[in-house]
Amino acid sequence: MSRRLRQLIAPGAWGVLVLLTWEGFVRWRKIKLFLLPPPSRIWRELRENRSGILHVTSNTGTNALIGLVLGVIAGVVMALVAQRFVALRDAITPLSAALNTMPIVAIGPIFYNLFGTTSAIPRRAVVAIVVFFPIFLNVVNGLTQTEATHEELLRSYAASDASVLWKLRMPNALPFLMTGLKLAASLAVIAAIVVEYFGGLQNGLGSRVTSAMKSSATARGWAYIAGACALGIGFYSVVTAVERVAMPWRRRRSD
Amino acid sequence: MTDVVAMSGLSKVFNPGRANQVDALLEIDLKVSAGTFVSLIGPSGCGKSTLLRVIADLTPPTGGTLSVNGKPAAQARADQDYGMAFQAAGLFDWRKVVRNVELPLELRRMGKAERRTRALAMLELVKLPDFAEHYPWELSGGMQQRVAIARALAADPPLLLMDEPFGALDEMTREHMQAELTRICAATQKTVVFVTHSIPEAVYLSDRVVVMSPRPGRIVKVVDVDLGARTDDMREQPQFFKKVTEVREALRGIGAGAPRGVDDR
Ligand SMILES: Nc1ncnc2c1ncn2[C@@H]1O[C@H](COP(=O)(O)OP(=O)(O)OP(=O)(O)O)[C@@H](O)[C@H]1O
Ligand SMILES: [Mg+2]
């Protein structure tokens, strides 16, 4: 059996187990539908409202994706600038570590005020900001935490700063970028959903979940949540695939 | 014969004038003529690596004069006049073996096809032609060390600087690597400055063994080794043991054999 297949089977089996337990628990304790609907009910909701959920999920997914790409580009560019100027790096890195914890509840309204609630920009900008920090911090580390022997080696060849950046720092930062990217991919989806709670266009998963829950259509709310899960899994899988392609030397011996 | 390395009165003080001042090297006079193999041996912390790093222009001396390949050390480094190998192989994980060997050639802006040919020839020399397309983690420690030597040789520098390159290897691999290195050096006419902790290794490899003493690091004795062609049999010859004893006694003379209260490592 191939490794890839085995990697899929384990989480799949766990997923099924969780769903079965959930279904059994809800039926056994006769939990009220508006509190926690069983998976079977959510599934029915998903099928009946398929095109609607798909549409809303793709709206949020687009916001998350655009924000993610922008945030990653900004994070990498800023990291490259920061590693070049030590003074800047020392100033900016602790600052970003602090800003990293800034909650969406604080920045969401600012951007809605700035760009208006009928624009898609605020939501994407918030995603980009949330994504920026883990990427920036990880890439700065990767660019600067190089092995002493490697640095001396390049120095012994009288390599230029540009060569050191290109041949040592950047490849050294790649695994760090991937770690940041995995974090960022999940964060992007969460941010894109949560930012909708604070206003703006009502065409995404976040607003649909809130309105469904408010009107006690809990099963419908959970169907949207399932859409959010699918988005999260999708983003994560893409990043894992990118990782495999970008770092072929990381592939371990196949047994 | 011309001197590839020539230093006189060379000193190195770390952190001068501060509480943690270290007199790493004091008034070193050393000449290494073209085509000779010189080993540096001495107790831990006596300044062997520092001496090598000064020759390589990786750290500046604080006194004395130094010329490498007939020019200032900085110029020799800029001209890639030497190749260096460290105790750790220091290969780039993200490059295949052959691309690791190509690294110094890339930095010399050699053309793609030419540097591939050259790198493959180097891998042939260290007997690893079949591993060109492997990643470093697929190789054993000894094989990685051989790749590092191929990399140091790739640009065909007249001088090789090696800092305990076989330190992490087992005895058998080590002897094998020593034989390979003498073969390679004989074939390519290199001048070598080689740091080691092993007396038999120093005697086997060298034309001259330089014995150093610690704090401040200086040369206490130079043992000329003139044993002719190196073979495995030679390791069991009385002349070989005589030289080993001579080096050992020089080291004893500075108290290197006895356990010391302070160790810098
Ligand atoms: N960058 C540095 N700053 C301050 N002191 C240093 C530095 N590098 C080396 N030293 C000191 O210089 C002395 C010589 O160090 P060096 O590394 O050259 O020893 P060595 O002979 O190579 O030892 P070993 O056999 O253990 O490798 C030591 O006392 C060490 O503490
Ligand atoms: Mg050393």
Side-chain angles (χ1 to χ4, degrees):
Chain A
M1 203 185 322
S2 82
R3 265 179 74 91
R4 305 291 295 280
L5 204 58
R6 252 185 307 172
Q7 278 170 347
L8 284 178
I9 285 176
W14 277 108
V16 169
L17 194 69
V18 167
L19 289 181
L20 285 177
T21 317
W22 178 352
E23 182 83 34
F25 179 76
V26 169
R27 285 177 188 222
W28 172 49
R29 302 304 307 255
K30 301 204 168 43
I31 307 268
K32 299 235 165 36
L33 195 60
F34 69 87
L35 276 179
L36 181 66
S40 55
R41 190 57 216 282
I42 298 169
W43 177 245
R44 209 172 81 205
E45 202 64 54
L46 269 172
R47 272 199 329 214
E48 281 168 6
N49 194 10
R50 197 170 44 213
S51 68
I53 291 171
L54 218 58
H55 182 67
V56 171
T57 305
S58 94
N59 282 341
T60 300
T62 308
N63 290 337
L65 184 65
I66 291 175
L68 178 65
V69 170
L70 291 178
V72 168
I73 292 174
V76 170
V77 169
M78 277 307 287
L80 284 169
V81 174
Q83 73 82 30
R84 182 72 187 74
F85 305 101
V86 179
L88 185 68
R89 185 176 84 222
D90 292 347
I92 229 177
T93 318
L95 192 69
S96 357
L99 287 179
N100 194 8
T101 56
M102 191 169 53
I104 296 168
V105 60
I107 47 178
I110 301 175
F111 279 91
Y112 284 128
N113 275 324
L114 231 54
F115 296 99
T117 48
T118 54
S119 154
I121 296 174
R123 298 183 294 182
R124 294 168 184 178
V126 166
V127 172
I129 287 177
V130 168
V131 160
F132 173 85
F133 294 106
I135 295 290
F136 172 76
L137 292 170
N138 270 293
V139 175
V140 164
N141 279 341
L143 289 170
T144 49
Q145 288 173 12
T146 47
E147 265 180 52
T149 319
H150 288 163
E151 276 181 50
E152 289 226 312
L153 182 78
L154 285 179
R155 213 140 65 82
S156 82
Y157 294 133
S160 63
D161 285 353
S163 293
V164 174
L165 178 63
W166 195 248
K167 295 187 193 300
L168 174 59
R169 297 194 187 286
M170 306 246 274
N172 192 67
L174 208 51
F176 291 76
L177 172 63
M178 290 303 154
T179 305
L181 212 50
K182 278 189 199 161
L183 259 167
S186 318
L187 279 178
V189 175
I190 294 170
I193 293 168
V194 172
V195 72
E196 291 175 8
Y197 293 176
F198 306 109
L201 290 173
Q202 296 297 300
N203 63 355
L205 282 170
S207 47
R208 291 305 158 90
V209 171
T210 17
S211 64
M213 294 301 188
K214 262 186 213 143
S215 54
S216 290
T218 319
R220 185 146 48 85
W222 277 93
Y224 286 117
I225 291 174
C229 290
L231 263 189
I233 293 170
F235 271 51
Y236 190 84
S237 311
V238 170
V239 171
T240 315
V242 168
E243 185 177 24
R244 285 177 61 83
V245 175
M247 303 194 298
W249 69 90
R250 281 284 171 112
R251 276 180 219 161
R252 286 288 170 250
R253 236 179 296 253
S254 48
D255 33 26
Chain B
M1 239 191 266
T2 52
D3 290 320
V4 176
V5 178
M7 58 180 80
S8 71
L10 189 118
S11 300
K12 172 73 189 183
V13 182
F14 286 109
N15 311 316
R18 284 197 264 148
N20 55 353
Q21 171 171 337
V22 180
D23 294 306
L25 299 171
L26 186 72
E27 311 252 307
I28 304 265
D29 298 310
L30 179 67
K31 287 189 167 37
V32 183
S33 53
T36 53
F37 198 118
V38 170
S39 286
L40 306 176
I41 196 164
S44 184
C46 73
K48 305 179 294 293
S49 299
T50 305
L51 185 56
L52 214 59
R53 291 169 35 97
V54 168
I55 298 172
D57 186 43
L58 294 175
T59 186
T62 43
T65 59
L66 167 66
S67 83
V68 178
N69 216 19
K71 35 190 146 172
Q75 189 59 45
R77 176 166 72 92
D79 293 348
Q80 286 198 20
D81 281 345
Y82 66 82
M84 198 157 185
F86 305 86
Q87 183 162 6
L91 303 179
F92 289 179
D93 316 332
W94 51 87
R95 285 176 171 240
K96 289 183 174 168
V97 163
V98 65
R99 295 260 298 128
N100 265 289
V101 179
E102 282 179 38
L103 180 68
L105 307 175
E106 274 172 45
L107 292 165
R108 285 193 157 189
R109 311 203 177 288
M110 187 186 275
K112 212 170 182 163
E114 196 185 350
R115 70 178 190 243
R116 178 57 54 109
T117 315
R118 176 101 196 124
L120 290 174
M122 288 304 109
L123 287 173
E124 199 84 50
L125 197 66
V126 296
K127 304 231 164 87
L128 284 174
D130 298 341
F131 289 87
E133 297 297 327
H134 286 62
Y135 283 105
W137 61 264
E138 298 172 286
L139 274 59
S140 76
M143 289 155 87
Q144 292 187 16
Q145 206 51 260
R146 274 190 276 167
V147 176
I149 290 169
R151 179 179 61 189
L153 289 166
D156 199 22
L159 175 63
L160 285 181
L161 302 174
M162 311 183 101
D163 194 349
E164 298 182 46
F166 308 148
L169 307 182
D170 69 85
E171 197 58 30
M172 288 315 291
T173 313
R174 201 171 170 139
E175 288 191 359
H176 174 72
M177 293 291 296
Q178 291 164 5
E180 299 265 288
L181 185 62
T182 32
R183 177 179 61 79
I184 291 167
C185 289
T188 54
Q189 283 299 305
K190 297 293 178 212
T191 308
V192 188
V193 182
F194 189 97
V195 171
T196 179
H197 273 137
S198 155
I199 302 171
E201 177 168 280
V203 172
Y204 179 86
L205 290 171
S206 316
D207 299 308
R208 272 195 299 153
V209 179
V210 173
V211 181
M212 293 175 66
S213 77
R215 255 159 313 235
R218 60 179 128 205
I219 297 176
V220 289
K221 189 170 168 104
V222 177
V223 178
D224 284 299
V225 186
D226 190 10
L227 295 173
R230 266 52 171 176
T231 59
D232 272 343
D233 288 343
M234 198 197 75
R235 294 183 198 272
E236 284 147 27
Q237 301 294 315
Q239 309 96 288
F240 182 77
F241 287 122
K242 214 175 124 244
K243 289 298 172 188
V244 168
T245 309
E246 202 178 330
V247 174
R248 180 167 292 135
E249 268 163 11
L251 281 167
R252 276 228 185 96
I254 56 173
R260 294 178 307 146
V262 192
D263 197 313
D264 287 311
R265 295 219 314 191

